[in-house]
Coordinates of all heavy atoms in Angstrom, one line a residue:
M222 N 7.2 -8.5 2.0 CA 7.4 -7.8 0.8 C 6.4 -6.6 0.8 O 6.8 -5.5 0.3 CB 7.2 -8.6 -0.4 CG 8.2 -9.7 -0.6 SD 8.2 -10.8 -2.0 CE 6.6 -10.7 -2.7
A223 N 5.2 -6.7 1.3 CA 4.3 -5.6 1.3 C 4.8 -4.5 2.2 O 4.7 -3.3 1.8 CB 2.9 -6.1 1.8
K224 N 5.3 -4.8 3.3 CA 5.8 -3.8 4.2 C 7.0 -3.0 3.6 O 7.0 -1.7 3.7 CB 6.3 -4.4 5.5 CG 6.7 -3.5 6.6 CD 7.1 -4.3 7.9 CE 7.5 -3.3 9.0 NZ 7.8 -4.0 10.2
L225 N 7.9 -3.7 2.9 CA 9.0 -3.0 2.2 C 8.4 -2.1 1.1 O 8.8 -0.9 1.0 CB 9.9 -4.0 1.6 CG 11.1 -3.4 0.7 CD1 12.0 -2.5 1.6 CD2 11.9 -4.5 0.1
W226 N 7.5 -2.6 0.3 CA 6.9 -1.8 -0.8 C 6.2 -0.5 -0.2 O 6.5 0.6 -0.7 CB 5.8 -2.6 -1.5 CG 5.1 -2.0 -2.7 CD1 4.7 -0.7 -2.8 CD2 4.7 -2.6 -3.9 NE1 4.1 -0.5 -4.0 CE2 4.1 -1.7 -4.7 CE3 4.8 -3.9 -4.3 CZ2 3.5 -2.0 -5.9 CZ3 4.3 -4.2 -5.6 CH2 3.7 -3.3 -6.3
V227 N 5.4 -0.7 0.8 CA 4.7 0.5 1.4 C 5.8 1.5 1.9 O 5.6 2.7 1.7 CB 3.8 0.0 2.6 CG1 3.3 1.2 3.4 CG2 2.6 -0.8 2.0
S228 N 6.8 1.0 2.6 CA 7.8 2.0 3.1 C 8.6 2.7 2.0 O 9.0 3.9 2.1 CB 8.8 1.3 4.0 OG 9.7 0.4 3.3
V229 N 8.8 2.0 0.9 CA 9.6 2.6 -0.2 C 8.7 3.5 -1.1 O 9.1 4.6 -1.5 CB 10.3 1.5 -1.1 CG1 10.9 2.1 -2.3 CG2 11.4 0.9 -0.2
F230 N 7.5 3.0 -1.5 CA 6.7 3.7 -2.5 C 5.5 4.5 -1.9 O 5.0 5.4 -2.5 CB 6.2 2.8 -3.5 CG 7.3 2.1 -4.3 CD1 7.5 0.7 -4.2 CD2 8.1 2.8 -5.1 CE1 8.5 0.1 -4.9 CE2 9.2 2.2 -5.9 CZ 9.4 0.9 -5.7
G231 N 5.1 4.2 -0.7 CA 4.1 4.9 0.0 C 2.7 4.5 -0.5 O 1.7 5.2 -0.1
D232 N 2.5 3.4 -1.2 CA 1.2 2.9 -1.6 C 0.4 2.4 -0.5 O 1.0 2.0 0.6 CB 1.3 1.9 -2.7 CG 1.9 2.4 -4.0 OD1 1.6 3.6 -4.4 OD2 2.6 1.7 -4.7
K233 N -0.9 2.3 -0.6 CA -1.7 1.7 0.4 C -1.5 0.3 0.6 O -1.3 -0.5 -0.4 CB -3.2 2.0 0.1 CG -3.6 3.4 -0.1 CD -3.8 4.0 1.3 CE -4.4 5.4 1.1 NZ -4.0 6.3 2.0
E234 N -1.4 -0.2 1.8 CA -1.1 -1.6 2.1 C -2.1 -2.6 1.4 O -1.7 -3.6 0.9 CB -1.0 -1.9 3.6 CG -0.5 -3.3 3.9 CD -0.1 -3.5 5.3 OE1 0.0 -2.5 6.1 OE2 0.0 -4.7 5.7
A235 N -3.4 -2.2 1.4 CA -4.4 -3.1 0.8 C -4.1 -3.3 -0.7 O -4.2 -4.4 -1.2 CB -5.8 -2.5 1.0
F236 N -3.7 -2.2 -1.4 CA -3.4 -2.4 -2.8 C -2.2 -3.3 -3.0 O -2.2 -4.2 -3.8 CB -3.1 -1.0 -3.4 CG -2.3 -1.1 -4.7 CD1 -3.0 -1.4 -5.9 CD2 -0.9 -0.9 -4.8 CE1 -2.3 -1.5 -7.1 CE2 -0.3 -1.0 -6.0 CZ -0.9 -1.3 -7.2
V237 N -1.2 -3.1 -2.2 CA 0.1 -3.9 -2.3 C -0.2 -5.4 -2.0 O 0.3 -6.2 -2.7 CB 1.2 -3.3 -1.4 CG1 2.4 -4.2 -1.4 CG2 1.5 -1.9 -1.7
R238 N -0.9 -5.6 -1.0 CA -1.2 -7.0 -0.6 C -2.0 -7.7 -1.7 O -1.8 -8.9 -2.1 CB -1.9 -7.1 0.7 CG -1.0 -6.8 1.9 CD -1.6 -7.2 3.2 NE -0.7 -6.9 4.3 CZ 0.4 -7.6 4.5 NH1 0.8 -8.6 3.8 NH2 1.2 -7.2 5.5
R239 N -3.0 -7.0 -2.3 CA -3.7 -7.6 -3.5 C -2.8 -7.8 -4.7 O -2.9 -8.9 -5.3 CB -4.9 -6.6 -3.8 CG -5.7 -7.2 -4.9 CD -6.9 -6.3 -5.2 NE -7.7 -6.9 -6.3 CZ -8.6 -6.3 -7.0 NH1 -9.0 -5.1 -6.6 NH2 -9.2 -6.9 -7.9
F240 N -1.9 -6.9 -5.0 CA -1.0 -7.0 -6.1 C -0.2 -8.3 -5.8 O 0.0 -9.1 -6.7 CB -0.1 -5.8 -6.2 CG 1.0 -6.0 -7.3 CD1 0.7 -5.7 -8.6 CD2 2.2 -6.4 -6.9 CE1 1.7 -5.9 -9.6 CE2 3.2 -6.6 -7.9 CZ 2.9 -6.3 -9.2
I241 N 0.4 -8.4 -4.7 CA 1.3 -9.6 -4.4 C 0.5 -10.9 -4.4 O 1.0 -11.9 -4.9 CB 2.0 -9.4 -3.0 CG1 3.0 -8.2 -3.1 CG2 2.7 -10.7 -2.6 CD1 3.6 -7.8 -1.8
R242 N -0.7 -10.9 -3.9 CA -1.6 -12.1 -3.9 C -1.8 -12.5 -5.3 O -1.8 -13.7 -5.7 CB -2.9 -11.8 -3.2 CG -3.8 -13.0 -3.1 CD -5.2 -12.6 -2.7 NE -5.8 -11.9 -3.8 CZ -6.7 -11.0 -3.7 NH1 -7.1 -10.6 -2.5 NH2 -7.3 -10.4 -4.7
D243 N -2.2 -11.6 -6.2 CA -2.5 -11.9 -7.6 C -1.3 -12.0 -8.5 O -1.5 -12.4 -9.7 CB -3.5 -10.8 -8.1 CG -4.8 -10.8 -7.4 OD1 -5.1 -11.8 -6.7 OD2 -5.5 -9.8 -7.5
L244 N -0.1 -11.7 -8.0 CA 1.0 -11.7 -8.9 C 1.3 -13.1 -9.6 O 1.7 -13.1 -10.7 CB 2.3 -11.4 -8.1 CG 3.6 -11.2 -8.8 CD1 3.5 -10.1 -9.9 CD2 4.7 -11.0 -7.9
K245 N 0.9 -14.2 -8.9 CA 1.1 -15.5 -9.5 C 0.4 -15.7 -10.8 O 0.8 -16.5 -11.6 CB 0.6 -16.6 -8.5 CG -0.9 -16.5 -8.3 CD -1.3 -17.5 -7.2 CE -2.7 -17.6 -6.9 NZ -3.4 -16.3 -6.9
D246 N -0.6 -14.8 -11.1 CA -1.4 -14.9 -12.3 C -0.8 -14.2 -13.5 O -1.1 -14.5 -14.6 CB -2.8 -14.4 -12.1 CG -3.6 -15.2 -11.1 OD1 -3.4 -16.4 -11.0 OD2 -4.5 -14.6 -10.5
Y247 N 0.2 -13.3 -13.2 CA 0.7 -12.5 -14.3 C 2.2 -12.1 -14.2 O 2.7 -11.3 -14.9 CB -0.1 -11.2 -14.6 CG -0.4 -10.4 -13.3 CD1 0.6 -9.5 -12.9 CD2 -1.5 -10.5 -12.6 CE1 0.4 -8.7 -11.8 CE2 -1.7 -9.8 -11.4 CZ -0.8 -8.9 -11.0 OH -1.0 -8.1 -9.9
G248 N 2.9 -12.7 -13.2 CA 4.3 -12.4 -13.1 C 4.9 -13.1 -12.0 O 4.5 -14.2 -11.6
T249 N 6.0 -12.6 -11.5 CA 6.8 -13.2 -10.5 C 7.5 -12.1 -9.7 O 7.6 -10.9 -10.1 CB 7.8 -14.2 -11.0 OG1 8.2 -15.0 -9.9 CG2 8.9 -13.6 -11.8
A250 N 8.1 -12.5 -8.6 CA 8.9 -11.5 -7.8 C 10.3 -12.2 -7.6 O 10.4 -13.4 -7.5 CB 8.3 -11.2 -6.5
V251 N 11.3 -11.4 -7.5 CA 12.6 -11.8 -7.1 C 13.0 -11.0 -5.9 O 12.6 -9.9 -5.7 CB 13.7 -11.6 -8.2 CG1 13.4 -12.5 -9.4 CG2 13.8 -10.2 -8.7
V252 N 13.7 -11.7 -4.9 CA 14.0 -11.0 -3.7 C 15.4 -11.2 -3.4 O 16.1 -12.1 -3.8 CB 13.1 -11.6 -2.5 CG1 11.7 -11.4 -2.8 CG2 13.4 -13.1 -2.3
A253 N 15.9 -10.3 -2.5 CA 17.3 -10.3 -2.0 C 17.1 -10.4 -0.5 O 16.4 -9.6 0.1 CB 18.1 -9.1 -2.4
E254 N 17.8 -11.4 0.1 CA 17.7 -11.6 1.5 C 19.1 -11.8 2.1 O 20.0 -12.2 1.3 CB 17.0 -12.9 1.9 CG 15.5 -12.9 1.5 CD 14.8 -14.2 1.9 OE1 15.5 -15.3 1.8 OE2 13.7 -14.1 2.4
E255 N 19.3 -11.4 3.3 CA 20.6 -11.6 4.0 C 20.2 -12.1 5.4 O 19.6 -11.4 6.2 CB 21.3 -10.3 4.0 CG 22.7 -10.4 4.7 CD 23.5 -9.1 4.6 OE1 23.1 -8.2 5.2 OE2 24.4 -9.1 3.8
N256 N 20.7 -13.3 5.8 CA 20.4 -13.9 7.1 C 18.9 -13.9 7.4 O 18.6 -13.6 8.5 CB 21.2 -13.1 8.2 CG 22.7 -13.2 7.9 OD1 23.2 -14.2 7.5 ND2 23.4 -12.1 8.2
G257 N 18.1 -14.2 6.4 CA 16.7 -14.3 6.6 C 15.9 -12.9 6.7 O 14.7 -12.9 6.9
T258 N 16.7 -11.9 6.4 CA 16.0 -10.5 6.4 C 15.9 -10.1 4.9 O 16.8 -10.1 4.2 CB 16.9 -9.5 7.1 OG1 17.1 -9.9 8.5 CG2 16.3 -8.1 7.1
L259 N 14.7 -9.6 4.6 CA 14.4 -9.1 3.2 C 15.1 -7.8 3.1 O 14.8 -6.9 3.8 CB 12.9 -9.0 3.0 CG 12.4 -8.5 1.7 CD1 12.8 -9.5 0.6 CD2 10.9 -8.2 1.7
L260 N 15.9 -7.7 2.1 CA 16.6 -6.4 1.8 C 16.0 -5.7 0.6 O 16.0 -4.5 0.5 CB 18.1 -6.7 1.5 CG 18.9 -7.3 2.6 CD1 20.3 -7.5 2.1 CD2 18.8 -6.5 3.9
G261 N 15.4 -6.5 -0.4 CA 14.9 -5.8 -1.6 C 14.1 -6.8 -2.4 O 14.1 -8.0 -2.2
C262 N 13.3 -6.3 -3.3 CA 12.5 -7.1 -4.2 C 12.2 -6.4 -5.5 O 12.2 -5.1 -5.5 CB 11.2 -7.6 -3.5 SG 10.2 -6.3 -2.8
A263 N 11.9 -7.1 -6.5 CA 11.6 -6.6 -7.8 C 10.5 -7.5 -8.4 O 10.4 -8.7 -8.1 CB 12.8 -6.6 -8.7
Y264 N 9.6 -6.9 -9.1 CA 8.4 -7.6 -9.7 C 8.5 -7.6 -11.2 O 8.8 -6.5 -11.8 CB 7.1 -6.9 -9.2 CG 7.1 -6.9 -7.7 CD1 7.6 -5.8 -7.0 CD2 6.5 -8.0 -7.0 CE1 7.5 -5.8 -5.6 CE2 6.5 -8.0 -5.6 CZ 7.0 -6.9 -4.9 OH 7.0 -6.9 -3.5
V265 N 8.2 -8.7 -11.8 CA 8.2 -8.9 -13.2 C 6.8 -9.2 -13.7 O 6.2 -10.1 -13.2 CB 9.2 -10.0 -13.7 CG1 9.2 -10.1 -15.2 CG2 10.6 -9.8 -13.1
I266 N 6.3 -8.4 -14.6 CA 5.0 -8.6 -15.2 C 5.2 -9.2 -16.6 O 6.0 -8.7 -17.4 CB 4.2 -7.3 -15.3 CG1 4.2 -6.6 -14.0 CG2 2.9 -7.5 -15.9 CD1 3.5 -7.3 -12.9
R267 N 4.5 -10.3 -16.9 CA 4.6 -11.0 -18.2 C 3.2 -11.1 -18.8 O 2.2 -10.8 -18.2 CB 5.2 -12.4 -18.0 CG 6.6 -12.3 -17.4 CD 7.3 -13.6 -17.4 NE 7.5 -14.1 -18.7 CZ 7.5 -15.3 -19.1 NH1 7.3 -16.3 -18.2 NH2 7.6 -15.7 -20.3
G268 N 3.2 -11.6 -20.0 CA 1.9 -11.8 -20.6 C 1.3 -10.6 -21.3 O 0.1 -10.7 -21.7
Q269 N 2.1 -9.6 -21.5 CA 1.6 -8.4 -22.3 C 2.1 -8.5 -23.7 O 3.0 -9.2 -24.0 CB 2.1 -7.1 -21.6 CG 1.8 -7.0 -20.1 CD 0.4 -6.8 -19.9 OE1 -0.3 -6.0 -20.5 NE2 -0.2 -7.6 -19.0
E270 N 1.4 -7.7 -24.6 CA 1.9 -7.7 -26.0 C 2.0 -6.2 -26.4 O 1.2 -5.4 -26.0 CB 0.9 -8.3 -26.9 CG 0.9 -9.8 -26.8 CD 0.0 -10.4 -27.9 OE1 -0.8 -9.7 -28.5 OE2 0.2 -11.6 -28.2
L271 N 3.1 -5.9 -27.1 CA 3.3 -4.6 -27.7 C 2.7 -4.6 -29.1 O 3.1 -5.4 -29.9 CB 4.8 -4.3 -27.8 CG 5.2 -3.0 -28.4 CD1 4.6 -1.8 -27.5 CD2 6.7 -2.9 -28.4
V272 N 1.7 -3.8 -29.3 CA 1.0 -3.8 -30.5 C 1.2 -2.4 -31.2 O 1.1 -1.4 -30.6 CB -0.5 -4.0 -30.3 CG1 -1.3 -3.9 -31.6 CG2 -0.8 -5.3 -29.5
F273 N 1.5 -2.5 -32.5 CA 1.6 -1.3 -33.3 C 0.4 -1.1 -34.1 O 0.0 -2.0 -35.0 CB 2.9 -1.5 -34.3 CG 4.2 -1.6 -33.5 CD1 4.7 -2.9 -33.3 CD2 4.8 -0.5 -33.0 CE1 5.9 -3.0 -32.6 CE2 6.0 -0.6 -32.3 CZ 6.5 -1.9 -32.1
P274 N -0.3 0.0 -33.9 CA -1.7 0.2 -34.5 C -1.7 0.1 -36.1 O -2.6 -0.4 -36.7 CB -2.1 1.6 -34.1 CG -1.3 1.9 -32.9 CD 0.0 1.1 -33.0
D275 N -0.6 0.5 -36.7 CA -0.6 0.5 -38.2 C 0.0 -0.7 -38.8 O 0.1 -0.8 -40.0 CB 0.2 1.8 -38.7 CG 1.6 1.8 -38.2 OD1 1.9 1.1 -37.2 OD2 2.4 2.6 -38.7
A276 N 0.4 -1.7 -38.0 CA 0.9 -3.0 -38.5 C -0.3 -3.9 -38.7 O -1.2 -4.0 -37.9 CB 1.9 -3.6 -37.5
N277 N -0.2 -4.7 -39.8 CA -1.2 -5.7 -40.1 C -0.8 -7.0 -39.5 O -0.8 -8.0 -40.2 CB -1.4 -5.8 -41.6 CG -2.1 -4.5 -42.2 OD1 -2.9 -3.9 -41.5 ND2 -1.7 -4.2 -43.4
E278 N -0.5 -7.0 -38.2 CA -0.1 -8.3 -37.6 C -1.3 -8.8 -36.7 O -2.0 -8.0 -36.1 CB 1.1 -8.1 -36.7 CG 2.3 -7.7 -37.6 CD 3.5 -7.4 -36.7 OE1 3.5 -7.6 -35.5 OE2 4.5 -6.9 -37.2
E279 N -1.4 -10.1 -36.7 CA -2.5 -10.7 -35.9 C -2.2 -10.6 -34.4 O -3.1 -10.4 -33.6 CB -2.7 -12.2 -36.3 CG -3.9 -12.8 -35.7 CD -4.2 -14.2 -36.2 OE1 -3.9 -14.4 -37.4 OE2 -4.6 -15.0 -35.4
H280 N -0.9 -10.7 -34.1 CA -0.5 -10.6 -32.6 C 0.6 -9.6 -32.5 O 1.4 -9.4 -33.4 CB -0.1 -12.0 -32.1 CG -1.1 -13.0 -32.2 ND1 -2.2 -13.1 -31.4 CD2 -1.3 -14.0 -33.1 CE1 -3.0 -14.1 -31.7 NE2 -2.4 -14.7 -32.7
G281 N 0.7 -9.0 -31.3 CA 1.8 -8.1 -31.0 C 3.0 -8.9 -30.6 O 3.1 -10.1 -30.7
I282 N 4.0 -8.1 -30.2 CA 5.3 -8.7 -29.7 C 5.2 -9.0 -28.2 O 4.8 -8.1 -27.5 CB 6.4 -7.7 -30.0 CG1 6.5 -7.4 -31.5 CG2 7.7 -8.2 -29.5 CD1 7.4 -6.2 -31.8
P283 N 5.4 -10.2 -27.8 CA 5.3 -10.5 -26.4 C 6.4 -9.7 -25.6 O 7.5 -9.7 -26.0 CB 5.5 -12.0 -26.3 CG 6.1 -12.4 -27.5 CD 5.8 -11.4 -28.6
I284 N 6.0 -9.1 -24.5 CA 6.9 -8.3 -23.7 C 6.7 -8.7 -22.2 O 5.7 -9.2 -21.8 CB 6.7 -6.8 -23.9 CG1 5.3 -6.4 -23.4 CG2 7.0 -6.4 -25.3 CD1 5.1 -4.9 -23.3
A285 N 7.8 -8.4 -21.5 CA 7.7 -8.5 -20.0 C 8.4 -7.2 -19.5 O 9.2 -6.6 -20.3 CB 8.5 -9.7 -19.5
Y286 N 8.0 -6.7 -18.3 CA 8.7 -5.5 -17.8 C 8.8 -5.6 -16.3 O 8.1 -6.3 -15.6 CB 7.9 -4.3 -18.3 CG 6.5 -4.1 -17.8 CD1 6.2 -3.5 -16.6 CD2 5.5 -4.7 -18.5 CE1 4.9 -3.4 -16.1 CE2 4.2 -4.6 -18.1 CZ 3.9 -3.9 -16.9 OH 2.6 -3.8 -16.4
I287 N 9.8 -4.9 -15.8 CA 10.0 -4.8 -14.4 C 9.0 -3.7 -13.9 O 9.1 -2.5 -14.3 CB 11.5 -4.4 -14.1 CG1 12.4 -5.5 -14.6 CG2 11.6 -4.2 -12.6 CD1 13.9 -5.1 -14.5
Y288 N 8.2 -4.1 -13.0 CA 7.1 -3.2 -12.5 C 7.7 -2.3 -11.4 O 7.4 -1.1 -11.4 CB 6.0 -4.0 -11.9 CG 4.8 -3.1 -11.4 CD1 4.0 -2.5 -12.3 CD2 4.6 -3.0 -10.1 CE1 3.0 -1.7 -11.8 CE2 3.6 -2.2 -9.6 CZ 2.8 -1.6 -10.5 OH 1.8 -0.8 -10.0
S289 N 8.5 -2.8 -10.5 CA 9.1 -2.0 -9.5 C 10.2 -2.7 -8.8 O 10.3 -3.9 -8.9 CB 8.0 -1.6 -8.4 OG 7.6 -2.8 -7.7
V290 N 11.1 -1.9 -8.3 CA 12.3 -2.4 -7.6 C 12.3 -1.6 -6.2 O 12.3 -0.4 -6.3 CB 13.6 -2.2 -8.3 CG1 14.8 -2.7 -7.5 CG2 13.5 -2.9 -9.7
A291 N 12.4 -2.3 -5.1 CA 12.5 -1.7 -3.8 C 13.6 -2.3 -3.0 O 13.8 -3.5 -3.0 CB 11.2 -1.9 -3.1
V292 N 14.4 -1.4 -2.4 CA 15.5 -1.8 -1.6 C 15.4 -1.0 -0.3 O 15.2 0.2 -0.3 CB 16.9 -1.6 -2.2 CG1 18.0 -1.9 -1.3 CG2 17.0 -2.4 -3.5
R293 N 15.5 -1.8 0.9 CA 15.5 -1.1 2.2 C 16.5 0.0 2.2 O 17.6 -0.1 1.7 CB 15.8 -2.1 3.3 CG 14.8 -3.0 3.6 CD 15.2 -4.0 4.6 NE 16.1 -3.5 5.7 CZ 16.2 -4.0 6.9 NH1 15.5 -5.1 7.2 NH2 17.0 -3.5 7.8
E294 N 16.1 1.1 2.8 CA 17.0 2.3 2.9 C 18.4 2.0 3.5 O 19.4 2.4 3.0 CB 16.3 3.4 3.7 CG 17.0 4.7 3.5 CD 16.3 5.9 4.2 OE1 15.1 5.7 4.5 OE2 16.9 7.0 4.2
D295 N 18.4 1.2 4.5 CA 19.7 0.8 5.2 C 20.5 -0.2 4.4 O 21.6 -0.5 4.8 CB 19.5 0.4 6.6 CG 18.6 -0.9 6.7 OD1 18.0 -1.3 5.7 OD2 18.6 -1.5 7.8
A296 N 20.0 -0.7 3.3 CA 20.7 -1.7 2.5 C 21.1 -1.1 1.1 O 21.7 -1.8 0.3 CB 19.9 -2.9 2.3
R297 N 20.9 0.2 0.9 CA 21.2 0.8 -0.4 C 22.7 1.0 -0.6 O 23.4 1.1 0.4 CB 20.4 2.1 -0.6 CG 18.9 1.8 -0.7 CD 18.1 3.0 -0.8 NE 16.7 2.7 -0.7 CZ 15.7 3.5 -0.4 NH1 16.0 4.8 -0.2 NH2 14.5 3.1 -0.4
G298 N 23.1 1.1 -1.8 CA 24.5 1.4 -2.1 C 25.4 0.1 -2.1 O 26.6 0.2 -2.2
R299 N 24.7 -1.0 -2.1 CA 25.5 -2.3 -2.1 C 25.3 -3.1 -3.4 O 25.7 -4.2 -3.5 CB 25.0 -3.1 -0.9 CG 25.3 -2.5 0.4 CD 24.7 -3.2 1.6 NE 24.9 -4.6 1.6 CZ 24.2 -5.4 2.5 NH1 23.5 -5.0 3.4 NH2 24.4 -6.7 2.4
G300 N 24.6 -2.5 -4.3 CA 24.4 -3.2 -5.6 C 23.2 -4.2 -5.6 O 23.0 -5.0 -6.5
I301 N 22.4 -4.1 -4.6 CA 21.2 -5.0 -4.5 C 20.2 -4.7 -5.6 O 19.7 -5.6 -6.2 CB 20.6 -4.9 -3.1 CG1 21.6 -5.4 -2.0 CG2 19.3 -5.6 -3.0 CD1 21.2 -5.1 -0.6
G302 N 19.9 -3.5 -5.8 CA 18.9 -3.1 -6.9 C 19.4 -3.6 -8.2 O 18.6 -4.1 -9.0
K303 N 20.7 -3.4 -8.5 CA 21.2 -3.9 -9.8 C 21.1 -5.4 -9.9 O 20.7 -5.9 -11.0 CB 22.7 -3.4 -9.9 CG 23.4 -3.8 -11.2 CD 24.8 -3.3 -11.2 CE 25.5 -3.7 -12.5 NZ 26.9 -3.2 -12.6
A304 N 21.4 -6.1 -8.8 CA 21.3 -7.6 -8.9 C 19.9 -8.0 -9.0 O 19.6 -9.0 -9.8 CB 21.9 -8.2 -7.6
L305 N 18.9 -7.3 -8.4 CA 17.5 -7.7 -8.5 C 17.1 -7.4 -10.0 O 16.3 -8.3 -10.5 CB 16.7 -6.8 -7.6 CG 16.7 -7.2 -6.1 CD1 16.1 -6.1 -5.3 CD2 16.0 -8.5 -5.9
C306 N 17.5 -6.3 -10.6 CA 17.1 -6.1 -12.0 C 17.7 -7.1 -12.9 O 17.0 -7.6 -13.8 CB 17.6 -4.7 -12.4 SG 16.7 -3.3 -11.7
G307 N 18.9 -7.5 -12.7 CA 19.5 -8.6 -13.5 C 18.8 -9.9 -13.4 O 18.5 -10.5 -14.4
K308 N 18.4 -10.3 -12.2 CA 17.6 -11.5 -12.0 C 16.2 -11.3 -12.6 O 15.7 -12.3 -13.3 CB 17.5 -11.9 -10.6 CG 16.9 -13.2 -10.3 CD 17.7 -14.4 -11.0 CE 18.9 -14.8 -10.4 NZ 19.5 -16.0 -10.9
A309 N 15.6 -10.2 -12.5 CA 14.3 -9.9 -13.1 C 14.3 -10.0 -14.6 O 13.4 -10.5 -15.2 CB 13.8 -8.5 -12.6
L310 N 15.4 -9.5 -15.2 CA 15.5 -9.6 -16.6 C 15.6 -11.0 -17.1 O 15.1 -11.4 -18.1 CB 16.8 -8.8 -17.1 CG 16.6 -7.3 -17.1 CD1 18.0 -6.6 -17.3 CD2 15.6 -6.8 -18.1
E311 N 16.3 -11.9 -16.3 CA 16.4 -13.3 -16.7 C 15.0 -13.9 -16.7 O 14.6 -14.6 -17.6 CB 17.2 -14.1 -15.6 CG 18.7 -13.8 -15.7 CD 19.5 -14.6 -14.6 OE1 19.0 -15.7 -14.2 OE2 20.5 -14.1 -14.2
F312 N 14.2 -13.6 -15.6 CA 12.8 -14.2 -15.6 C 12.0 -13.6 -16.7 O 11.2 -14.3 -17.3 CB 12.2 -13.9 -14.3 CG 12.6 -14.8 -13.2 CD1 13.4 -14.3 -12.2 CD2 12.1 -16.1 -13.1 CE1 13.8 -15.2 -11.1 CE2 12.4 -16.9 -12.1 CZ 13.3 -16.5 -11.1
G313 N 12.1 -12.3 -17.0 CA 11.3 -11.7 -18.0 C 11.6 -12.0 -19.4 O 10.8 -11.8 -20.3
S314 N 12.8 -12.5 -19.7 CA 13.2 -12.8 -21.0 C 13.0 -14.3 -21.4 O 13.4 -14.7 -22.5 CB 14.7 -12.4 -21.2 OG 15.5 -13.2 -20.4
T315 N 12.4 -15.0 -20.6 CA 12.1 -16.4 -21.0 C 10.9 -16.5 -22.0 O 10.1 -15.5 -22.0 CB 11.7 -17.3 -19.7 OG1 10.6 -16.7 -19.1 CG2 12.9 -17.3 -18.8
D316 N 10.8 -17.5 -22.7 CA 9.7 -17.7 -23.7 C 9.6 -16.6 -24.7 O 8.6 -16.3 -25.2 CB 8.4 -17.9 -23.0 CG 8.4 -19.1 -22.0 OD1 9.1 -20.1 -22.3 OD2 7.7 -19.0 -21.0
G317 N 10.7 -15.9 -25.0 CA 10.7 -14.9 -26.1 C 10.2 -13.6 -25.7 O 10.1 -12.7 -26.5
D318 N 9.9 -13.4 -24.4 CA 9.4 -12.0 -24.0 C 10.6 -11.1 -23.9 O 11.8 -11.5 -23.8 CB 8.8 -12.1 -22.6 CG 7.5 -12.8 -22.6 OD1 7.0 -13.2 -23.7 OD2 6.9 -13.0 -21.5

């Protein structure tokens, strides 16, 4: 997953590996594979709250968001990114997020 991320977004590999390692603490990843080859991945971040400064609420609204979606260049145009986003939305919408 790190290699795909680096090739798509150009981030430093050390940052990407740390993000993926720590992802279990604040989110999840969904992947698309074909015959054992990784074609794409998307990351879902959970555990955040949307807070409105002028609201007198004790807690904000729980939210989740898709952090990034990456699809190999040679696999684009096949609906993989759309499918990854759909699955990511399923994971992100659990527990009222």
Side-chain angles (χ1 to χ4, degrees):
M222 291 182 345
K224 186 176 181 179
L225 176 62
W226 182 323
V227 169
S228 72
V229 171
F230 298 114
D232 292 327
K233 301 278 189 216
E234 189 170 342
F236 163 78
V237 176
R238 290 197 180 282
R239 183 176 178 191
F240 175 85
I241 292 170
R242 181 194 72 213
D243 294 342
L244 184 62
K245 66 186 180 321
D246 295 331
Y247 51 85
T249 194
V251 294
V252 299
E254 294 180 325
E255 183 176 69
N256 300 322
T258 300
L259 178 67
L260 300 179
C262 50
Y264 303 90
V265 181
I266 307 298
R267 299 186 64 211
Q269 307 291 313
E270 288 188 341
L271 180 61
V272 178
F273 298 96
D275 56 345
N277 291 328
E278 297 176 8
E279 191 172 320
H280 300 285
I282 300 167
I284 61 169
Y286 62 93
I287 299 171
Y288 182 72
S289 65
V290 178
V292 176
R293 284 174 39 153
E294 191 172 351
D295 62 347
R297 294 179 186 160
R299 297 172 44 189
I301 294 169
K303 181 178 180 177
L305 287 167
C306 287
K308 189 55 81 171
L310 285 171
E311 286 179 32
F312 279 106
S314 63
T315 60
D316 300 327
D318 291 356

